[in-house]
Every structure is written in structure tokens, then in C-alpha cells.
Amino acid sequence: MNKPVYLDYAATTPVDPSVAEEMTKYLTLDGVFGNPASRSHMYGWQAEAAVEQARRQVAQLIGADPREIVWTSGATESDNLAIKGAVGGWERPHIITSLIEHKAVLDTCKWLEQRGVEVTWLQPQGDGRILPDQVENALQGNTVLVSLMLVNNELGCVTDVAAIGALLRDRGVLFHVDAAQAAGKLPLNVAELSVDLMSLSGHKVYGPKGVGALYVRRSPDVRIEAQIHGGGHERGMRSGTLPTHQIVGMGKAFALAGDLLEEEMGSLEQLRADFLAQLADLDGVTLNGSAQHRVPGIVNLSFDRVEAESLMLGLRELAVSSGSACASATMEPSFVLRGIGLNDEQAHRALRFSFGRFTSSDDVKFASKHIIDVVSRLRAVR
Ligand SMILES: *Cc1c(COP(=O)(O)O)cnc(C)c1O
């Protein structure tokens, strides 16, 4: 059997071959394998230089100072560090987030809520976005942090983080943004967005899994409490020996993403337009999430009169993701789709298609033709 066409770039991306090649130079005896924290010899110095170069590359993609980048094991850890780290030390803190954040934010906030932190869960608009007014109206005297994602991983919609950041900066409330799905997809600048903390992941940007970063603003200094204690690495915010090869991979991937950003935005926009135009032959297809405020690589569609589960079974030649957690025993429909107001039935009819660097127009043609065939067949047998 041929491998299915990969249309699940929002779940993870393949490592770019040039990134993989670079990473292999930081593992073996003839490469740079030293501990970047070793100060007494060349092995350590070379590894440290490689880590610092990667730090500059990641910082550059988001308009940050390299000293504002803290390495982590991925965006999940970055989210945990940002949120738990920011509320630590406050007497009775209040945080604001939304119902459609990534689980790394939702579950962290729930965990804090069970321990006495007050949490406001904002309900997004029907198009998946959180409006600045909603955030403003939820602010309290004890609000210490707002945590919102820039690009939603299931819907691809984009929240106006710059407007929210501006109003929070005026009020001295910290702003954490999960930008795992935004980096390399949109131009990003932490100063323009007035963001204090930003989570990033390597493997959503053609880098390796198991590495990420947290941007922590320096001037004025944002204070967060460490969640992992040890040798005091990363200016005390995150201890643990730095994985040089992973970090070098993420740096190279972010540099590449910056170089290719404009070109890729254009080509993904074209793929999306082609995909939707090809599917226009099919009636009863609804786009979930904003049609205007979105990244081009993620397309979430509901198909009338077709269960996503049956559709996925019919679409074995495509690797896509269902909004509903079909794999789970509970068959819970996606909390994101329910969060934007879809009922269970509508949520059970949604599939997410996500495109990326190695998606060809033939892949998209193959996918749309296949979808039309299977949806038509499933509808006919009903
Ligand atoms: C993938 C993703 C994460 C988790 O990132 P990991 O590096 O896999 O831990 C967090 N937030 C969003 C929005 C994501 O898409």
C-alpha cells in the first residue's frame, strides 16, 4: 500500500532535510558533542557557540533579543512555564484564557484553578477569535496574566493579539501567547504584538520534536518562577543540560522559516484556494473558523450528512485529523468546535486538512477528488 498523502502539518511537520543534516553534526565524537555548560574546554565552548547561534536564529524570527529566549522541551513545557511561572508568588491571582486553547494551556489553567487560582474562560466568537473587548471586560483588580493563542491549531483562525497586547500593556497585565502554530506561518514581532511571554515549538516549523522555546521579555524584566530546578541553566528559569543537536535543529528550522516565509505564505494560499475551489463541486460543505482572519495552511471543514469518522475510514489514502477525538473511548466531540458554538452533531462532521512545505498541487487535487468521491458515496448509501 502506498503511504497516504500527508495533510496533517498542524499535528507535526517533517524535519526539513537541511535541518536533519545540520543536526547530525552535533552528536558524535567527530562532531560538536560537548556539554554547552562546560566552561573549561573547547568541546563546551563550541557547543555553547552553536546554542547561542540558534538562540539568535529563533529570536530573529519573532523580533526578540536572543537573551529573551529560554530553551524548553517544546511548546507544552513553554506554556506550563509561562503560566505557572507567572502566577507563582501572587496571593490570589486571576488569569484570563479561552475555551479553545491548546490542552497545554487549558489543563495548566485547570490545574491552577483547582489550587485556588481564579480563572476566567472566555467563549470565542463563532469564527474562533477572541475580541479585545472580551478581554477588557474580563479584567479584574487581581488579574496577573492573560493567555491566548495566536493561531488556533484546529481552526487556523488568527486572534488580534496586537490589539489585546496594547490594552494589557496599558494596564500592566502580563500577556502570554502560544504561537506554536503561528511561527513560520505569519510575520511575528513581539514588540508590535506587545507580548510578554511567547511559546514556540520546533516540530511545527520543520524542526525536530522535543525542543521548544519561551520568549520572556527583558525590558522591563518579566519575572517568572522556574518550574524545573537544577543547575540554574537558562538564567535560572529552566535547568537541565541543553540538547545541542535539538537546539541547533530548531535554530536552523527557524532561520529557514524566516527566509521562506513570504514564498510559503503565497504558495499555501494558492493550495488552499485550489482545494476550496475543487471542493465547490460538493454541496453541504461548511468552513469552520474565520474565513478572513486565518493562516492558509489549516482548513477545517464540516460535511453535511456525513460522520467524520466514516469519512476518515473512507479517506485512508489521506492522513488527516478529525476534530472529534475519534480514537478516544469516549467519542467526545472536539472541545474547540463546541467552543465556537457547533452542536455535537456538527462537530462530529468536521475534518481538519493542513498543508505545508512539501504539499504539492497534485496532492491537493488527489485529496479533493477523493473527498468528493467518498462524501458522495457515503451520502448515497444513507
Ligand atoms: C503543537 C502545539 C503545542 C504543543 O507543542 P509541543 O512542542 O508538541 O509540546 C502547543 N500549542 C499549540 C498551539 C500547538 O499547536
Side-chain angles (χ1 to χ4, degrees):
M1 187 185 149
N2 285 332
K3 274 207 244 177
V5 173
Y6 190 73
L7 297 178
D8 207 8
Y9 278 78
T12 194
T13 59
V15 173
D16 192 279
S18 67
V19 169
E21 193 195 323
E22 190 67 18
M23 287 173 68
T24 61
K25 299 175 189 162
Y26 294 86
L27 291 163
T28 50
L29 180 63
D30 60 349
V32 178
F33 70 89
N35 186 330
S38 293
R39 290 283 147 79
S40 50
H41 49 68
M42 198 179 122
Y43 296 90
W45 305 332
Q46 284 180 338
E48 188 192 21
V51 165
E52 293 315 310
Q53 146 122 331
R55 205 186 292 279
R56 288 191 292 276
Q57 289 169 319
V58 168
Q60 190 177 359
L61 190 71
I62 62 167
D65 184 296
R67 291 170 298 179
E68 297 174 312
I69 301 299
V70 174
W71 299 115
T72 66
S73 62
T76 299
E77 188 191 330
S78 302
D79 288 344
N80 273 267
L81 175 57
I83 298 169
K84 292 175 187 163
V87 302
W90 290 88
E91 196 58 41
R92 221 188 124 59
H94 169 238
I95 57 188
I96 300 170
T97 185
S98 91
L99 291 169
I100 63 164
E101 297 304 303
H102 190 273
K103 286 280 186 188
V105 168
L106 287 182
D107 287 358
T108 300
C109 291
K110 269 186 217 157
W111 186 85
L112 288 168
E113 197 174 37
Q114 286 159 3
R115 280 154 186 79
V117 172
E118 223 182 315
V119 181
T120 298
W121 305 91
L122 297 176
Q123 160 101 44
Q125 304 298 300
D127 69 359
R129 294 186 311 141
I130 301 293
L131 301 182
D133 276 355
Q134 295 181 267
V135 176
E136 188 159 27
N137 294 335
L139 289 171
Q140 301 177 180
N142 60 339
T143 309
V144 298
L145 177 75
V146 174
S147 177
L148 294 172
M149 68 208 313
L150 211 164
V151 173
N152 183 276
N153 49 306
E154 270 190 50
L155 302 166
C157 57
V158 179
T159 280
D160 188 353
V161 159
I164 296 170
L167 80 88
L168 294 177
R169 187 61 57 88
D170 282 349
R171 289 169 181 71
V173 173
L174 287 182
F175 191 20
H176 166 243
V177 168
D178 181 335
Q181 293 287 349
K185 319 270 166 60
L186 296 170
L188 278 185
N189 183 292
V190 285
E192 283 169 17
L193 298 176
S194 306
V195 163
D196 302 298
L197 298 156
M198 180 183 275
S199 299
L200 301 166
S201 175
H203 75 96
K204 304 289 172 69
V205 194
Y206 310 96
K209 296 168 188 56
V211 63
L214 181 66
Y215 158 81
V216 183
R217 186 165 59 87
R218 259 177 76 91
S219 72
D221 230 17
V222 171
R223 294 272 157 151
I224 53 167
E225 271 187 357
Q227 304 300 307
I228 295 180
H229 305 94
H233 306 73
E234 299 300 276
R235 286 170 289 121
M237 281 182 269
R238 203 280 193 177
S239 289
T241 300
L242 295 174
T244 314
H245 61 300
Q246 302 286 83
I247 288 171
V248 163
M250 180 163 169
K252 171 91 183 171
F254 272 54
L256 206 54
D259 293 345
L260 297 175
L261 183 63
E262 254 182 70
E263 185 188 326
E264 285 193 337
M265 280 170 56
S267 56
L268 289 174
E269 195 64 56
Q270 189 60 52
L271 288 179
R272 174 195 164 90
D274 292 349
F275 183 59
L276 291 177
Q278 287 153 13
L279 287 180
D281 289 346
L282 202 60
D283 62 88
V285 181
T286 318
L287 178 74
N288 297 315
S290 176
Q292 293 104 51
H293 307 277
R294 40 109 186 131
V295 290
I298 299 177
V299 183
N300 191 311
L301 300 174
S302 283
F303 300 88
D304 288 2
R305 311 194 301 285
V306 176
E307 294 294 315
E309 209 199 342
S310 325
L311 185 52
M312 285 242 284
L313 286 175
L315 290 175
R316 273 188 237 260
E317 286 160 73
L318 307 181
V320 299
S321 157
S322 132
S324 0
C326 278
S328 83
T330 55
M331 289 299 298
E332 283 275 323
S334 149
F335 66 90
V336 172
L337 295 173
R338 280 204 311 212
I340 60 169
L342 267 63
N343 61 34
D344 283 7
E345 202 180 333
Q346 292 166 320
H348 274 307
R349 291 179 174 166
L351 282 187
R352 178 186 71 185
F353 305 89
S354 47
F355 311 129
R357 184 171 295 166
F358 307 106
T359 309
S360 67
S361 60
D362 280 348
D363 291 339
V364 166
K365 257 185 235 154
F366 178 81
S368 55
K369 183 178 172 309
H370 213 50
I371 293 164
I372 293 170
D373 288 350
V374 176
V375 168
S376 310
R377 201 175 67 224
L378 287 170
R379 284 178 180 168
V381 299
R382 268 173 55 102

